[in-house]
């Protein structure tokens, strides 16, 4: 029998929704009376909040478990280890067999974490990867203290079944949280210090309320919350980008001019093999419609190189799409075969060296466009939300409306929004000089 833990540490490995889940698990354990500690090696309970999206992410959890154990053993301790997140969902009991962890809890069941920890402390098996029809959110404690920029999950799961992707299996079917619960949580976040809220979902623009109103209805509702200055949302699927949501980008001043809209590839044959259910052209025409209402919008995307069967010519089509769009920033990955997905058994895999080369060329193009986007903001004045202290005395770091990192010298506090002139543009950040202080 292990003793009940008094301190805990949550480490999140995955996407923003995974980070949000990690925050909520932390709040839950704190509400149970456990004390959070910043150092995983000092905690009685270590929650590894895992990601299953690519092989590397998955393997990381196993190496981490080994490292944590070894470190603790050197100090004569034996921490309780809980595996949460998408690896927990995908591998379940296998993790217990392979790594002898104490608790396994899936992303739809983590409201049961305190119970599972108590069971494990009593020496009983503690595994829960259920996807209950009633949502976990109602069972979580109210949010009390957050930074100026907060995440809020409004939609979970995915029905799109892209052939390479594990998310429909690890997160389950698309479910939207009710409008009232979201608005309540948003108010609590603002009361707890948030000035910006990023609405999260695997397909956040697929959010619908009970009357089938889309995400724009939620954005309009949040727009009315006093004290909330900025609204963002991520990640969106091109097929759920409705006219109403596009219009919201022209109508709602708090909605920031930034859109993460993954396309993955530029070739129609590859898009079809990925089951993306949009074409290169429908994607590009969609961007035209968005830019027509919000010309200054910053676009971001996700790309996969080396999908099975991707030829040199098809890869060139991804590069030409990038040239056409001019992304402000983007994420790019080498294709990683995932167990149980249709693409994992596809023939004609792309050799590792070819993938490496393609990723390098792709990232060079994306870096070039990001630098160009940043350079285009030089000399402009924009609002910056101050998020944290910089390295130098008096220096603060914040974000522009286009999600660029900005550093400046100011006596403004964290959470203030200041008017800044961009005086230097680097590939990854901007330097600014404060103009007039906006009213808080
Ligand atoms: N729902 C979102 C994001 C899901 S995961 C969307 O559809 O865009 C985030 C990104 O990881 C994906 O956009 C994709 O670029 C990448 N990804 C997903 N599965 C992958 C795999 N098997 N190999 C490599 N990259 C992958
Ligand atoms: Fe994965 Fe595709 Fe769903 Fe995104 S839309 S989560 S890439 S299956
Ligand atoms: Fe990873 Fe799960 Fe997010 S697989 S990307 S943590 S939804």
């Amino acid at each position: 029998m292990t003793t009940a833990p008094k301190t805990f540490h949550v480490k999140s490995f995955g996407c923003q929704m995974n980070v949000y889940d990690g925050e909520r698990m932390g709040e839950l354990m704190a509400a149970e009376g456990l004390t959070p500690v910043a150092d995983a090696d000092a905690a009685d309970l270590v929650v590894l909040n895992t990601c299953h999206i690519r092989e590397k992410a998955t393997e990381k959890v196993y190496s981490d478990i080994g490292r944590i154990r070894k470190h603790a053993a050197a100090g004569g301790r034996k921490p309780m280890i809980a595996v949460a997140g998408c690896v927990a969902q995908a591998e379940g009991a296998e993790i217990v067999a392979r790594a002898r962890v104490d608790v396994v809890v899936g992303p739809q069941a983590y409201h049961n974490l305190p119970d599972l920890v108590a069971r494990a402390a009593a020496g009983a098996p503690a595994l829960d990867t259920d996807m209950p029809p009633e949502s976990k959110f109602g069972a979580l404690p109210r949010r009390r203290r957050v930074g100026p920029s907060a995440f809020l999950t409004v939609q979970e799961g995915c029905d799109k079944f892209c052939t390479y992707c594990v998310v429909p299996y690890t997160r389950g079917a698309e479910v939207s949280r009710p409008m009232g619960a979201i608005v309540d949580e948003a108010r609590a976040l603002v009361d707890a210090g948030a000035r910006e809220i990023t609405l999260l979902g695997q397909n956040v623009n697929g959010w619908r309320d009970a009357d089938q109103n889309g995400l724009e209805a939620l954005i309009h509702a949040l727009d009315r919350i006093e004290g909330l200055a900025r609204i963002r949302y991520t990640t969106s699927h091109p097929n759920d980008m409705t006219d109403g949501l596009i219009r919201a980008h022209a109508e709602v001043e708090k909605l920031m001019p930034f859109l993460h809209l993954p396309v993955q590839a530029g070739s129609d044959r590859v898009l079809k093999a990925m089951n993306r259910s949009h074409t290169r052209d429908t994607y590009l025409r969609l961007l035209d419609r968005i830019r027509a209402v919000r010309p200054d919008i910053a676009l971001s995307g996700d790309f996969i190189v080396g999908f099975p069967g991707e030829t040199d010519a098809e890869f060139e089509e991804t590069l030409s799409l990038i040239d056409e769009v001019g992304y402000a920033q983007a994420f790019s990955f080498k294709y990683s075969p995932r167990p149980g997905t249709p693409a994992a058994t596809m023939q004609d895999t792309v050799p590792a060296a070819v993938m490496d080369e393609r990723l390098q060329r792709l990232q060079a193009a994306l870096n070039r466009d990001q630098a160009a986007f940043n350079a285009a903001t030089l000399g402009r004045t924009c609002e910056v939300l101050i998020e944290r202290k910089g390295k130098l005395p008096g220096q603060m770091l914040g974000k522009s409306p286009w999600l660029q990192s900005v550093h400046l010298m100011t006596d403004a506090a964290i959470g203030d929004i200041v008017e800044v002139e961009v005086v230097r543009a680097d590939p990854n950040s901007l330097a600014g000089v404060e103009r007039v202080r906006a009213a808080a």
Side-chain angles (χ1 to χ4, degrees), residues 39-42 64-79:
D39 178 9
D41 290 328
D64 244 55
I65 292 169
R67 199 195 48 74
I68 290 165
R69 284 228 173 94
K70 209 168 132 197
H71 220 267
R77 296 183 317 107
K78 190 172 177 291

Side-chain angles (χ1 to χ4, degrees), residues 53-54 164-165 202 235 262 264 276 302-304 333-336 338:
I53 201 82
R54 284 168 289 275
Y164 50 82
C165 184
Q202 267 91 22
T235 293
Q264 315 297 354
R276 284 293 295 181
D302 289 346
F303 296 90
I304 296 176
F333 313 98
K334 287 188 272 190
Y335 167 71
S336 170
R338 306 306 293 127

Side-chain angles (χ1 to χ4, degrees), residues 344-400:
T345 52
M346 286 181 188
Q347 307 293 305
D348 231 356
T349 54
V350 175
V354 175
M355 275 209 228
D356 284 336
E357 202 236 47
R358 285 184 191 166
L359 187 67
Q360 261 180 33
R361 288 182 61 201
L362 186 86
Q363 290 184 339
L366 292 169
N367 290 343
R368 171 203 69 200
D369 288 353
Q370 181 174 334
F373 183 87
N374 286 351
T377 54
L378 192 62
R380 282 182 76 160
T381 297
C382 65
E383 289 188 338
V384 170
L385 170 60
I386 304 292
E387 294 184 355
R388 57 195 169 91
K389 287 194 168 131
K391 281 195 195 118
L392 308 173
Q395 190 189 50
M396 299 298 268
L397 302 181
K399 292 273 163 54
S400 78

Side-chain angles (χ1 to χ4, degrees), residues 131-286:
M131 294 197 178
E134 77 280 10
S135 122
K136 66 194 171 238
F137 293 106
L140 298 172
R142 194 178 160 83
R143 319 215 48 190
R144 300 203 180 274
R145 222 184 44 221
V146 295
S149 177
F151 290 152
L152 202 179
T153 292
V154 304
Q155 180 279 341
E156 288 202 280
C158 181
D159 300 338
K160 304 285 191 287
F161 289 94
C162 300
T163 53
Y164 50 82
C165 184
V166 294
V167 170
Y169 312 98
T170 61
R171 292 276 172 166
E174 286 184 20
V175 178
S176 299
R177 290 179 68 189
M179 167 100 85
I182 297 168
V183 173
D184 282 351
E185 188 172 330
R187 283 216 187 88
L189 286 170
V190 171
D191 290 345
R195 307 264 354 244
E196 169 177 283
I197 291 180
T198 302
L199 307 174
L200 300 180
Q202 267 91 22
N203 282 295
V204 71
N205 59 342
W207 183 89
R208 296 282 176 276
D209 72 6
D211 302 322
Q212 295 304 307
N213 295 305
L215 189 65
E216 66 277 14
L218 178 59
I219 290 169
H220 280 289
L222 297 175
D223 186 31
R224 293 191 283 272
I225 296 180
E226 218 176 300
L228 179 63
R230 292 179 163 192
I231 303 168
R232 301 181 185 274
Y233 63 95
T234 197
T235 293
S236 297
H237 191 283
N239 288 7
D240 290 327
M241 211 59 218
T242 61
D243 289 336
L245 182 54
I246 294 173
R247 243 187 344 264
H249 278 280
E251 294 167 352
V252 181
E253 215 180 300
K254 290 181 185 178
L255 186 59
M256 291 293 103
F258 185 95
L259 180 63
H260 182 63
L261 198 63
V263 64
Q264 315 297 354
S267 135
D268 281 340
R269 197 211 53 87
V270 174
L271 288 171
K272 193 151 198 278
M274 288 177 162
N275 191 31
R276 284 293 295 181
S277 62
H278 58 77
T279 65
R280 174 194 181 98
D281 190 62
T282 54
Y283 179 81
L284 289 171
R285 297 297 73 82
L286 172 60

